[in-house]
Amino acid sequence: MCGIVGYVGPRQATSILIDGLRRMEYRGYDSAGVAVLNGKGIKVQKAEGKLSALVEKIGQETIEGTVGIGHTRWATHGAPTTPNAHPHISGDGRIAIIHNGIVENASSIKKALTQRGHTFASATDTEVLAHLIGEYYQGSLEEAVAAALRDVDGAYGIAVVSADEPDVVVAARKGSPLLVGVGDGEWFVASDASAILEHTRSVVYLDDGEMVVLTRVGYRVRTLEVSRIEKPVNQIEWDLATIERGGYPHFMLKEIFEQPESIENTLRGHLLHEEGSARLSGLNLTDEYLGQMERIIITACGTSWHSALIGEYMLEEMARISVEVEYASEFRYRSPIVDNKTLVIAISQSGETADTLAAIREAKRRGARTVGLVNVVGSTIAREVDGGLYLRAGPEVGVASTKAFTCQVAALALVTLRFARLRHLSVLEGRTFIDALQRIPALIQSILDRAPEIEALAKRCEDATNALYLGRGVNFPVALEGALKLKEISYIHAEGYPAAEMKHGPIALIDENMPVIFIAPKDAVHSKIVSNIEEVKARGGKVIALITEGDTEIEQLADATFPIPETLDLLSPLLTGVPLQLLSYYVAVRRGCNVDQPRNLAKSVTVE
Ligand code: F6R
């Protein structure tokens, strides 16, 4: 995720900004930059890649000045290049801005600005905002920022400086965190307390719709409309290491808890409620092509392959298109039947997985159109596909994939909606699907709020040497994913199976020592899965079941249950996947495993 830091005070700003950015490196980023007011104007320096590249650039040309802003960018709009790095400047170069979040109406604002003669040097929404603030500027930076933000839809945390007000930093937030650091004769703004903690522990947390004006004599919090509001100053008690993980003991837990927000980010700007459809212009697929498309192959590895399987259920049921899901490593070496009426979708968190990349290249060679559902902007797969959709899950640091999985499923739901509306789905059905999708983040939050219940269930599994995960229909891939998560981080051998397949072999394993985890929401195959639970119980197996709230039938059968809120059958993996992530996390912690960096695993598998 991007990081923001700003400074006004007596000390040289550049090193304070760079140190602050360094403290936020753990969040992940792909470029960085600073803007410092040096009395003559704004000096901007930015670089692609790691902070060391920026430091090297600055080293060649020292930036003097005691007021400035700094940013680490994790690309969402435009590739991670130096021109797209922040700060961005206004048309006349007098204003510089850094920005976290997404300006949803950037393209319409850009169009209007272009008509008024503005030209742009980057592909970012942030540069549009810089130009807009520049247009509004009439001698007061804070008023220009407030005026521009009234025109903006979307989420932002921003910090802005102007060459005409050399002692001022203005910052604002809506949907993206920002706090003010109150020092001794110096003031800071940051998106993350870790950036300023070595200078002060006194902070003012800004709420959505609030702005702050830092000057050499203090700070003033305001809203877009009211010029001063009172806010309490809080004392931070956490140490730096805890803060960098947002107060969570591990990145994996932090990322599990980020899912309501990350899914909102995946969906943001894509849903067309009125039309009951999804806007996915990035796929670069015309209605004409989609009309002629005969089949889809989804290719991926690991967790991404599991989300692909969920996509297969969604696409076949709602869009009535024939879908095959292929391990990328297999696809690339067989002789797949692919032609120009085949759409090949690659799913990848990192966008760098060697097998998935090779599969895409093979598909292109055979004349298929390719689309990527990728998290990391500017990654190789994202660059090589014909079109795509970014997941916007934010950086995933924990090696075991969690939030990228649910964002992949949400992205597949968007693709399904778009394809289905062109084929068989009615407007009303489309709207019902959108309503259900939009409720998912809050429902996930309600599951996360009950994490202690899962922690208690973990005790039932921690001493197991084997575990079986069983699901049916769209929750069969969730069973696979649950098993993968458990084995990756706790080193307990686990298998996922379609529940009915159990009696064709794995049933031989069942005894009182092996937990059997059923994913059993009240869906179209509920009565079938109840029979499968009976079969396990009849053999003395220990059953833990994820059930729909109020399902007393399974409650009476199972040894333990965890209730999930109701949603559409096809969207249930977005809910059932989350407690399974938590279960593996808590089991691994209880077993003393290195949760964020499990043995033998790499975050990005760039070798065959
Ligand atoms: C599991 C996991 C891996 C990845 C797989 C594909 O937790 O992280 O199975 O899902 O290596 O990686 P991406 O999605 O980056 O292509």
Side-chain angles (χ1 to χ4, degrees):
M1 280 326 197
C2 309
I4 283 180
V5 61
Y7 177 75
V8 178
R11 295 189 278 161
Q12 286 298 319
T14 308
S15 57
I16 291 174
L17 299 176
I18 297 287
D19 286 348
L21 295 179
R22 196 165 281 130
R23 293 285 185 197
M24 292 188 283
E25 275 193 302
Y26 73 93
R27 298 163 64 98
Y29 67 101
D30 39 46
S31 60
V34 293
V36 174
L37 295 168
N38 61 6
K40 293 178 224 120
I42 304 175
K43 183 78 197 158
V44 175
Q45 198 60 275
K46 42 194 198 177
E48 186 180 329
K50 291 292 159 200
L51 264 178
S52 51
L54 177 67
V55 171
E56 202 175 307
K57 254 188 172 174
I58 292 173
Q60 293 158 10
E61 196 190 344
T62 313
I63 311 182
E64 297 279 332
T66 55
V67 174
I69 52 179
H71 191 257
T72 42
R73 172 174 188 254
W74 197 80
T76 57
H77 272 63
T81 58
T82 302
N84 287 339
H86 301 200
H88 287 283
I89 52 170
S90 56
D92 60 6
R94 308 288 294 167
I95 286 169
I97 178 174
I98 53 178
H99 166 219
N100 293 354
I102 297 163
V103 177
E104 282 169 20
N105 56 342
S107 56
S108 61
I109 298 175
K110 188 172 185 175
K111 201 165 156 200
L113 287 166
T114 308
Q115 277 160 5
R116 297 200 288 273
H118 291 255
T119 54
F120 297 88
S122 78
T124 64
D125 49 347
T126 307
E127 192 186 9
V128 174
L129 193 48
H131 280 240
L132 190 63
I133 295 170
E135 265 208 349
Y136 274 113
Y137 190 79
Q138 286 180 345
S140 164
L141 183 61
E142 64 173 285
E143 293 309 334
V145 170
L149 291 180
R150 282 184 209 114
D151 292 350
V152 163
D153 293 333
Y156 53 77
I158 58 169
V160 194
V161 290
S162 163
D164 297 307
E165 295 175 48
D167 300 326
V168 177
V169 172
V170 174
R173 86 157 261 180
K174 184 180 154 207
S176 188
L178 214 55
L179 53 86
V180 181
V182 183
D184 186 9
E186 55 184 2
W187 291 272
F188 306 81
V189 64
S191 54
D192 189 317
S194 58
I196 58 166
L197 205 63
E198 64 185 291
H199 309 294
T200 178
R201 286 180 172 267
S202 304
V203 298
V204 176
Y205 294 105
L206 295 185
D207 289 311
D208 280 353
E210 291 177 354
M211 296 172 55
V212 67
V213 184
L214 310 182
T215 65
R216 290 204 184 275
V217 291
Y219 69 94
R220 174 167 47 85
V221 181
R222 56 165 291 175
T223 64
L224 296 192
E225 321 300 339
V226 179
S227 66
R228 176 186 289 275
I229 60 166
E230 295 308 320
K231 297 280 291 184
V233 178
N234 302 274
Q235 293 302 315
I236 295 182
E237 271 148 29
W238 294 345
D239 61 22
L240 259 175
T242 318
I243 284 180
E244 286 175 352
R245 291 186 299 268
Y248 292 95
H250 297 99
F251 281 110
M252 181 178 174
L253 191 63
K254 172 174 176 274
E255 287 157 9
I256 291 173
F257 271 79
E258 278 170 355
Q259 289 176 106
E261 188 192 338
S262 58
I263 290 178
E264 253 170 36
N265 285 338
T266 304
L267 301 180
R268 181 172 284 132
H270 293 302
L271 293 171
L272 300 169
H273 195 269
E274 190 56 29
E275 292 144 56
S277 185
R279 174 180 33 223
L280 298 173
S281 38
L283 297 186
N284 294 332
L285 298 174
T286 59
D287 288 359
E288 194 193 348
Y289 171 82
L290 290 173
Q292 289 165 1
M293 177 178 74
E294 285 174 356
R295 105 188 215 275
I296 296 175
I297 296 177
I298 315 182
T299 189
C301 304
T303 288
S304 302
W305 185 78
H306 296 152
S307 65
L309 289 174
I310 295 168
E312 179 180 20
Y313 282 91
M314 287 181 178
L315 282 158
E316 292 206 335
E317 188 169 324
M318 284 178 64
R320 309 300 303 148
I321 308 173
S322 153
V323 179
E324 274 169 65
V325 175
E326 282 263 12
Y327 282 115
S329 52
E330 292 299 315
F331 179 88
R332 63 184 290 194
Y333 285 119
R334 36 184 213 92
S335 190
I337 299 170
V338 165
D339 59 24
N340 60 2
K341 292 194 172 144
T342 311
L343 177 68
V344 175
I345 302 179
I347 305 182
S348 176
Q349 187 287 129
S350 61
E352 302 294 349
T353 301
D355 285 323
T356 312
L357 180 59
I360 276 291
R361 288 178 177 160
E362 181 61 22
K364 284 178 99 168
R365 251 193 307 274
R366 289 171 184 262
R369 277 197 77 79
T370 56
V371 155
L373 306 184
V374 172
N375 194 34
V376 178
V377 174
S379 54
T380 313
I381 294 174
R383 280 186 275 115
E384 293 206 9
V385 284
D386 299 312
L389 173 62
Y390 281 122
L391 303 177
R392 298 185 191 148
E396 200 178 58
V397 179
V399 165
S401 188
T402 52
K403 61 177 179 171
F405 170 71
T406 43
C407 288
Q408 287 164 352
V409 176
L412 283 159
L414 290 172
V415 171
T416 300
L417 185 61
R418 164 96 172 89
F419 292 3
R421 281 288 291 119
L422 275 181
R423 291 174 174 237
H424 306 278
L425 201 75
S426 70
V427 172
L428 285 181
E429 288 167 321
R431 284 186 197 153
T432 306
F433 192 70
I434 289 178
D435 291 340
L437 255 180
Q438 285 178 318
R439 279 196 293 273
I440 291 291
L443 297 182
I444 292 184
Q445 189 57 55
S446 74
I447 292 172
L448 296 171
D449 292 344
R450 292 188 288 121
E453 292 172 40
I454 299 279
E455 199 170 355
L457 288 180
K459 289 188 201 141
R460 294 172 178 262
C461 306
E462 68 176 303
D463 295 324
T465 42
N466 292 292
L468 195 56
Y469 285 72
L470 300 175
R472 298 187 74 130
V474 74
N475 277 296
F476 155 54
V478 177
L480 295 176
E481 175 60 7
L484 179 65
K485 283 291 89 91
L486 189 72
K487 65 186 142 199
E488 275 182 304
I489 60 168
S490 73
Y491 316 136
I492 295 174
H493 171 247
E495 301 235 25
Y497 255 88
E501 245 333 269
M502 170 193 65
K503 54 187 170 298
H504 299 285
I507 199 165
L509 295 170
I510 288 168
D511 63 16
E512 66 286 358
N513 298 319
M514 184 168 75
V516 184
I517 294 120
F518 275 92
I519 300 104
K522 237 185 178 153
D523 57 12
V525 285
H526 179 260
S527 61
K528 307 277 172 206
I529 210 155
V530 170
S531 312
N532 300 138
I533 295 177
E534 305 257 22
E535 287 157 11
V536 172
K537 286 305 298 172
R539 283 152 186 90
K542 291 278 174 289
V543 169
I544 297 174
L546 303 186
I547 56 169
T548 300
E549 280 163 1
D551 182 350
T552 46
E553 191 179 3
I554 298 186
E555 236 168 36
Q556 279 162 17
L557 269 179
D559 296 275
T561 54
F562 182 83
I564 306 280
E566 262 183 74
T567 182
L568 296 180
D569 287 3
L570 283 175
L571 296 180
S572 62
L574 287 166
L575 303 184
T576 51
V578 175
L580 298 185
Q581 296 167 348
L582 284 169
L583 183 67
S584 3
Y585 170 79
Y586 288 122
V587 169
V589 169
R590 295 184 72 83
R591 289 165 68 95
C593 300
N594 182 345
V595 174
D596 282 335
Q597 282 165 345
R599 70 182 179 213
N600 305 339
L601 293 179
K603 184 67 190 154
S604 174
V605 185
T606 53
V607 290
E608 261 195 65

